Amino acid sequence: MYFNSREERCKSPYGAVICGSQVALTLYAEPGEEIARAVLVAHGEFADSWEEIELSPPDAWGGMRCIYTAPTEPELVWYHFRISWKKGGEAFFGKNGFRSWEELATWQLTVYDGASETPEWFGNGVSYQIFPDRFRRSGTERDVRGMVGNRTLHRDWDEMLEYLPNAEGKITCSDFFGGDLAGIAEKLGYLRSLGVTTLYLNPIFEAASNHRYDTANYMRIDPLLGSEDDFRALCEQAKAFGIRVILDGVFNHTGSNSVYFNAEGWFPSVGAAQSEDSPYASWYHFTHFPDEYNSWWGFKTLPDLEETAPSYMDFIFEGKDSVVRHWLRAGASGWRLDVADELPGVFIERLRRAMDEEKPGSYLLGEVWEDGSNKIAYSTRRKYLLGAQTHSLMNYPFRNALLGYLLGGNAADFRESMETLRENYPPAAFYGAMNFLGTHDTPRILTVLGYRGAWPQSREERSRLALNAAERYRGVRLLKLAALVMFSFPGSPTIYYGDEAGMQGFEDPFNRATYPWGREDRELIAFFSRLGAVRNARASLQRGAIEYVYAEGPVLAFRRALGDEASLTVCNAGQDEAKLTLPWHGEFAFDALTGERLRVFGGLLHLTLEPMDGALLIGE
């Protein structure tokens, strides 16, 4: 038996389908196979519906066909075939061949609501992520005294951040460098020179810690960053550069030191930890008032929120001046949902609805670390991408697959991982994903690609470690390859601030150092700038279909095409020279990154790829 859900002769249309679509399925048997009956068995998971459709008898090529009509509501459909033999007996056929019912792997069909359009501006463009305290500080003098939390302020922008526990053995994240919104605004020209069209900011609201994921007040910009006027000015100035701003929505938990919980009594409001009659009491779940309560991963400084509490939903997105609506009106163009796995589906749906009402064309992105089309979180299958919730997700699967390939893996595995995602995701979600090499939650990409050997165990060791010359050479070459793939792949290529400048560092907090103004790797920045310019100039790299031309061992080649325009990315992640011959239309091929012109002989392009090198080829 043969069935490949990615081949048009077996399944059409390709991948996910809109509700109510007709899907043609063809199962192939060996000629002469004595088959009495073949049946498609389809299970709609959410509705727990089962449907069986008999396939036509085998034709001269062994093809047995049926038309399956997708459910009229968003659904995950799992399907396989049941085969009956003329000699008697029956068997189940799935992705892993003939298996018992218990061992059978079924195919996935994602059925989504195509009624609402996904804004193309995010997926088409280039994004840049900023950890606000560490990017750039303006000349504005600010005093942390009087600000929430026990803050300290570094005077020297380039000094080492705090990384050791305090006298009580706690990591407080209370040291600040004073990066601010005005500082970001000063560097909008630089960001635009990288080709950036979307600016994603880690939390900017008042909070006690430097990461600001412990929100103290959703309606106030942290005073060390500036004011609401500064935020509005940043959005207006960014707009003049063709840049939109996306904010980080941390709606699963607040800080214990916040207007709403107020465990330390810092704020004049009556917080949930102070009185069971607090207007915020229903927002939290206490197991023993006031000292025992649900918190994010057990961190008592991050009390969990009861997201479906009516007054909380009204505060976050339903009310006229709710958090989501207020900051969209102030200039934001979208939200990234922190820990989306921990937000109830109804919460995300209603937040999305509020965004669509308040600012049509705004973008909702979710933080999910796996394939979001079939993710199970807290024993519940999630519906992020079926039409009513997020537009798309952070693409951790892309990062994981790319690193696996670059660090000695097989290009075929990268292709398989990405084709699985392309097949499972609605097209708009696949083309609108946030692709990245690193974030505030991962070690710096240059360190990951360049460092050899076991990672240092202690924070003290990791704080001092830097790549040696050989490691940095290897890391930079592989980083250029990684960026080449990212900028030419479907989805929004996203730079974590400073990666383009050659920043190094292990995990948090070493991945959150200050941007090295005046000490940047200019050659690396020029490379990223060229990639950004090419990406923004070529429609094929923004919206073009993807086709893998070659993926074997250390060599990866894929083509993006839209209309008459095509772009070909070729990479050699290996330690040895690689040769590749590809069909090519035209007399010459040009490397869009170097300007090199390559002659084509007899319709064939003969490439020699140096170790850890690549090219982005275009026609005349």
Side-chain angles (χ1 to χ4, degrees):
M1 289 295 176
Y2 182 80
F3 180 83
N4 186 338
S5 59
R6 297 174 190 166
E7 290 186 15
E8 186 176 6
R9 65 177 180 139
C10 294
K11 175 181 176 291
S12 181
Y14 177 92
V17 299
I18 295 173
C19 294
S21 297
Q22 290 196 328
V23 183
L25 301 169
T26 304
L27 174 68
Y28 290 89
E30 288 290 334
E33 192 75 49
E34 294 292 309
I35 295 174
R37 189 169 182 251
V39 175
L40 169 73
V41 182
H43 175 219
E45 180 175 344
F46 299 126
D48 194 22
S49 61
W50 290 87
E51 186 174 358
E52 295 191 359
I53 303 175
E54 186 165 355
L55 278 65
S56 64
D59 60 20
W61 294 273
M64 299 170 285
R65 298 176 177 80
C66 74
I67 299 296
Y68 172 71
T69 302
T72 56
E73 296 294 326
E75 184 61 276
L76 269 191
V77 176
W78 304 96
Y79 65 97
H80 65 278
F81 300 96
R82 189 175 69 245
I83 311 299
S84 299
W85 312 103
K86 289 182 179 179
K87 61 185 177 182
E90 65 178 21
F92 301 110
F93 182 74
K95 290 180 73 173
N96 53 349
F98 285 105
R99 291 291 190 276
S100 67
W101 178 257
E102 293 75 18
E103 298 176 330
L104 189 69
T106 56
W107 286 277
Q108 173 182 328
L109 176 64
T110 304
V111 181
Y112 65 98
D113 182 356
S116 60
E117 293 186 5
T118 295
E120 290 187 345
W121 58 264
F122 180 77
N124 288 350
V126 177
S127 300
Y128 193 91
Q129 179 189 351
I130 286 179
F131 194 79
D133 185 59
R134 309 291 163 82
F135 180 65
R136 172 79 174 182
R137 66 182 176 195
S138 65
T140 304
E141 290 292 330
R142 294 189 173 91
D143 192 336
V144 296
R145 289 177 296 181
M147 296 183 186
V148 63
N150 298 311
R151 307 187 187 196
T152 59
L153 183 62
H154 293 268
R155 292 301 171 188
D156 183 352
W157 181 254
D158 296 321
E159 69 187 47
M160 174 59 69
L161 41 74
E162 291 182 7
Y163 59 88
L164 295 175
N166 62 15
E168 299 175 354
K170 297 179 179 179
I171 302 292
T172 62
C173 302
S174 58
D175 65 317
F176 290 76
F177 283 84
D180 54 17
L181 299 180
I184 297 172
E186 290 175 358
K187 289 298 179 178
L188 287 171
Y190 165 69
L191 297 178
R192 188 57 197 173
S193 74
L194 293 171
V196 171
T197 57
T198 301
L199 184 57
Y200 156 46
L201 302 178
N202 286 116
I204 62 172
F205 304 121
E206 185 176 20
S209 69
N210 53 42
H211 55 70
R212 298 188 174 97
Y213 281 93
D214 53 338
T215 312
N217 188 340
Y218 289 105
M219 299 304 288
R220 187 186 187 204
I221 302 294
D222 192 283
L224 197 55
L225 287 174
S227 64
E228 181 169 334
D229 286 342
D230 291 323
F231 175 73
R232 289 176 179 270
L234 172 62
C235 291
E236 279 298 314
Q237 293 172 53
K239 183 178 179 181
F241 281 93
I243 299 174
R244 292 177 170 89
V245 177
I246 286 182
L247 295 178
D248 215 331
V250 188
F251 302 136
N252 168 259
H253 51 267
T254 64
S256 57
N257 196 1
S258 66
V259 170
Y260 322 106
F261 201 77
N262 211 13
E264 298 179 27
W266 178 274
F267 296 93
S269 58
V270 178
Q274 297 171 300
S275 171
E276 294 178 279
D277 294 325
S278 166
Y280 310 112
S282 65
W283 294 14
Y284 303 91
H285 180 75
F286 288 88
T287 53
H288 181 274
F289 185 84
D291 56 336
E292 295 296 330
Y293 47 88
N294 291 349
S295 59
W296 187 75
W297 288 60
F299 291 100
K300 303 295 283 186
T301 56
L302 299 174
D304 269 343
L305 286 155
E306 296 288 310
E307 295 96 344
T308 57
S311 63
Y312 180 66
M313 289 197 290
D314 186 68
F315 173 72
I316 293 296
F317 50 74
E318 297 286 20
K320 182 179 179 181
D321 197 40
S322 56
V323 174
V324 167
R325 295 176 186 268
H326 178 90
W327 295 109
L328 287 175
R329 286 199 300 271
S333 293
W335 289 89
R336 175 260 192 190
L337 293 181
D338 184 55
V339 293
D341 287 345
E342 303 185 36
L343 297 172
V346 65
F347 181 89
I348 301 176
E349 287 179 17
R350 291 173 65 173
L351 188 152
R352 163 75 179 276
R353 189 185 312 155
M355 289 177 60
D356 290 342
E357 291 173 357
E358 187 63 47
K359 196 167 192 173
S362 56
Y363 205 82
L364 183 60
L365 191 75
E367 180 198 11
V368 176
W369 287 55
E370 301 84 8
D371 181 336
S373 71
N374 53 34
K375 176 70 186 287
I376 295 177
Y378 299 92
S379 302
T380 300
R381 185 81 73 179
R382 305 307 300 265
K383 301 180 180 180
Y384 308 115
L385 302 177
L386 298 186
Q389 297 186 17
T390 60
H391 288 107
S392 193
L393 305 171
M394 297 182 71
N395 202 348
Y396 277 95
F398 168 82
R399 177 182 184 270
N400 296 339
L402 183 55
L403 289 184
Y405 158 59
L406 294 173
L407 294 174
N410 194 317
D413 294 330
F414 173 80
R415 176 185 60 192
E416 175 60 26
S417 296
M418 292 300 94
E419 285 295 89
T420 296
L421 215 62
R422 185 166 74 98
E423 184 178 17
N424 289 350
Y425 278 31
F430 183 73
Y431 281 81
M434 174 185 273
N435 299 336
F436 51 86
L437 306 176
T439 72
H440 63 292
D441 287 326
T442 67
R444 283 284 175 179
I445 184 62
L446 186 57
T447 298
V448 172
L449 294 175
Y451 188 68
R452 308 299 295 268
W455 284 33
Q457 293 301 304
S458 72
R459 284 194 165 208
E460 183 65 43
E461 291 176 291
R462 293 198 290 274
S463 72
R464 297 193 305 266
L465 199 76
L467 302 179
N468 61 38
E471 290 172 334
R472 195 177 190 286
Y473 173 81
R474 176 178 183 267
V476 167
R477 289 188 70 87
L478 289 177
L479 173 52
K480 287 182 176 181
L481 266 190
L484 170 59
V485 174
M486 181 176 71
F487 272 80
S488 52
F489 203 78
S492 177
T494 303
I495 305 168
Y496 180 47
Y497 81 100
D499 279 349
E500 81 284 7
M503 288 183 67
Q504 302 178 32
F506 291 94
E507 80 295 342
D508 170 24
F510 306 111
N511 58 353
R512 302 175 181 181
T514 54
Y515 187 100
W517 298 110
R519 296 179 288 107
E520 309 94 323
D521 184 325
R522 293 291 181 182
E523 180 185 348
L524 202 52
I525 288 176
F527 183 79
F528 272 83
S529 297
R530 182 57 184 159
L531 282 172
V534 174
R535 166 82 184 205
N536 287 329
R538 295 188 66 77
S540 59
L541 295 180
Q542 299 170 30
R543 302 183 301 279
I546 184 169
E547 174 194 3
Y548 291 86
V549 177
Y550 191 90
E552 186 175 326
V555 179
L556 172 69
F558 59 87
R559 177 182 288 109
R560 302 285 307 281
L562 184 67
D564 295 331
E565 182 186 290
S567 305
L568 177 68
T569 299
V570 290
C571 301
N572 174 21
Q575 302 301 307
D576 300 311
E577 182 181 272
K579 294 184 182 296
L580 191 63
T581 298
L582 301 172
W584 191 268
H585 296 293
E587 188 178 353
F588 296 98
F590 296 87
D591 187 341
L593 300 182
T594 65
E596 181 182 3
R597 187 172 70 166
L598 305 173
R599 180 174 288 279
V600 177
F601 297 95
L604 295 176
L605 176 62
H606 301 280
L607 296 173
T608 298
L609 298 172
E610 296 297 320
M612 298 180 289
D613 200 7
L616 179 53
L617 303 176
I618 61 177
E620 297 180 72

